[in-house]
Amino acid sequence: MRLIHRTNGTELSSPERDFLAIEGLPTAELRRLLDHAEQLLPAAVGDAPADERLRGRIVANLFFEDSTRTRVSFEIAARRLGAEVVNLSASGSSASKGETLVDTALNIEAMGVDTIVVRTSISGGAALVANAVRCPVINAGDGRHEHPTQALLDVLMLRLRLGDLTGKRVAVVGDIANSRVARSTTHALVALGAHAVIVGPPALVPMGFESIATGPGKITIHHDIEEIIRSIDAIMMLRVQMERAAGSGIAPDYRATYGLTTARRKLLREGVPILHPGPVNRGVEIDDEVADDPRDSVILAQVSCGVAARMAVLLRAVAR
Ligand code: NCD
């Protein structure tokens, strides 16, 4: 009988099955996951026969912050692999009665799940859960810290469009300070030898961001989008994270100064892919016409890549 009894951490799960951050992930492992995700793309979008490698496994989605794409794509990824999924959110669970994230995770684990996918507003919350439970833990976004599966899908998308990312200039534009996507994707870009061209208002780019990552690539910081827009290979627009902004609203001139407007888009080189992790604030960081461009907006293709990326991460966590 498999009963959970905690033993001072001595029987904790193998940390190599957790997926908590891109920072510190060996580059060879990042490349392996990307290659695997790329192979899984046809199955992810339903063009190849279902893969049953996770049949009989249970994936618990603990989403304590709102989510559309990430939660549903973890669920679809798990189902494509034959696993069963249970979903828990803050409202409707005992989190609303004050139960802590770690206690919730321990209780869900005690019911015998095989992996926990966690989204929380607590920066470092996924690692807190991983330190407490024995099953593998996957970070689906923890506060301002990291969103490692988003980074995987972003660089998968970029590789599909640009090939090898060595030396490629990828602009990441907007609310860098509050964005876990910006942090994770920057780590991945630098690890793969790309140039992360970070652009945002001075108040939304943290001090020292140019040295957050180590690797063959590099990071530069800019406050004027027009200074870089003619020379980049890809552009990722970010949503202003109103839920994290310290009481401030979106500046009325945000679109004019940092938005990818229809007029500004004309300054991009031919064929430069336009990315956005979603949810999109149309008419703020990106104009409708740009977001909906059938050739160069890859916003929905990113979502498809997300299913494949999460399949690769779930297999790494749970497959025997
Ligand atoms: C991002 C997130 O939650 O960090 N969204 C996502 O997972 N696709 C970005 C955002 O909320 O703006």
Side-chain angles (χ1 to χ4, degrees):
M1 192 162 54
R2 188 160 70 115
L3 289 184
I4 298 287
H5 48 95
R6 298 170 65 206
T7 52
N8 300 328
T10 48
E11 287 179 26
L12 293 183
S13 70
S14 39
E16 65 273 13
R17 286 180 179 264
D18 291 332
F19 195 61
L20 303 178
I22 300 294
E23 182 175 13
L25 185 73
T27 304
E29 183 64 1
L30 174 62
R31 289 189 192 280
R32 194 194 63 75
L33 279 165
L34 286 168
D35 291 345
H36 195 192
E38 191 168 342
Q39 270 169 31
L40 290 163
L41 256 179
V45 297
D47 282 350
D51 180 326
E52 295 285 289
R53 271 177 285 173
L54 297 190
R55 174 149 304 286
R57 307 263 170 221
I58 300 179
V59 174
N61 265 341
L62 265 50
F63 274 65
F64 293 152
E65 249 194 1
D66 293 344
S67 173
T68 298
R69 280 149 290 271
T70 308
R71 192 188 65 71
V72 177
S73 75
F74 265 110
E75 177 154 0
I76 292 176
R79 289 179 188 277
R80 293 266 189 233
L81 293 164
E84 288 177 52
V85 182
V86 290
N87 285 296
L88 196 70
S89 58
S91 68
S93 77
S94 290
S96 69
K97 300 180 188 168
E99 187 168 35
T100 67
L101 175 66
V102 165
D103 278 337
T104 306
L106 284 167
N107 280 267
I108 297 298
E109 181 185 42
M111 296 178 212
V113 302
D114 294 285
T115 184
I116 292 177
V117 179
V118 62
R119 166 167 288 199
T120 168
S121 59
I122 304 167
S123 300
L128 284 177
V129 171
N131 286 336
V133 302
R134 288 188 288 186
C135 68
V137 173
I138 299 169
N139 182 4
D142 60 338
R144 296 182 176 83
H145 174 229
E146 281 231 26
H147 193 349
T149 58
Q150 179 71 41
L152 262 192
L153 79 87
D154 290 338
V155 290
L156 174 60
M157 185 72 244
L158 287 166
R159 277 199 345 181
L160 293 173
R161 280 291 286 236
L162 306 176
D164 182 4
L165 297 184
T166 308
K168 293 285 176 358
R169 283 170 299 208
V170 179
V172 181
V173 183
D175 180 0
I176 308 298
N178 295 299
S179 172
R180 52 201 178 199
V181 177
R183 290 179 64 82
S184 288
T185 300
T186 298
H187 279 290
L189 289 171
V190 172
L192 297 173
H195 175 177
V197 179
I198 302 297
V199 188
L204 293 181
V205 181
M207 294 280 284
F209 197 85
E210 64 279 10
S211 44
I212 62 159
T214 49
K218 65 173 178 175
I219 305 172
T220 55
I221 308 289
H222 309 261
H223 301 299
D224 179 357
I225 188 171
E226 289 183 9
E227 180 191 300
I228 56 91
I229 197 161
R230 294 174 182 82
S231 62
I232 51 179
D233 298 298
I235 185 164
M236 179 190 296
M237 305 308 294
L238 298 173
R239 182 178 67 89
V240 177
Q241 308 264 300
M242 289 300 289
E243 70 277 31
R244 297 188 218 291
S248 57
I250 300 178
D253 62 349
Y254 187 86
R255 173 178 171 274
T257 45
Y258 289 100
L260 193 53
T261 59
T262 304
R264 190 168 279 140
R265 190 252 160 115
K266 296 195 173 82
L267 304 175
L268 287 170
R269 292 192 302 202
E270 178 79 12
V272 166
I274 297 159
L275 291 83
H276 192 305
V280 171
N281 276 328
R282 288 169 176 267
V284 181
E285 68 269 8
I286 191 165
D287 281 4
D288 281 341
E289 208 182 308
V290 184
D292 298 334
D293 182 274
R295 195 191 58 177
D296 294 329
S297 167
V298 295
I299 297 172
L300 292 176
Q302 281 176 273
V303 178
S304 305
C305 286
V307 177
R310 288 164 183 134
M311 286 170 77
V313 171
L314 285 169
L315 284 166
R316 175 177 177 272
V318 189
R320 294 291 175 263

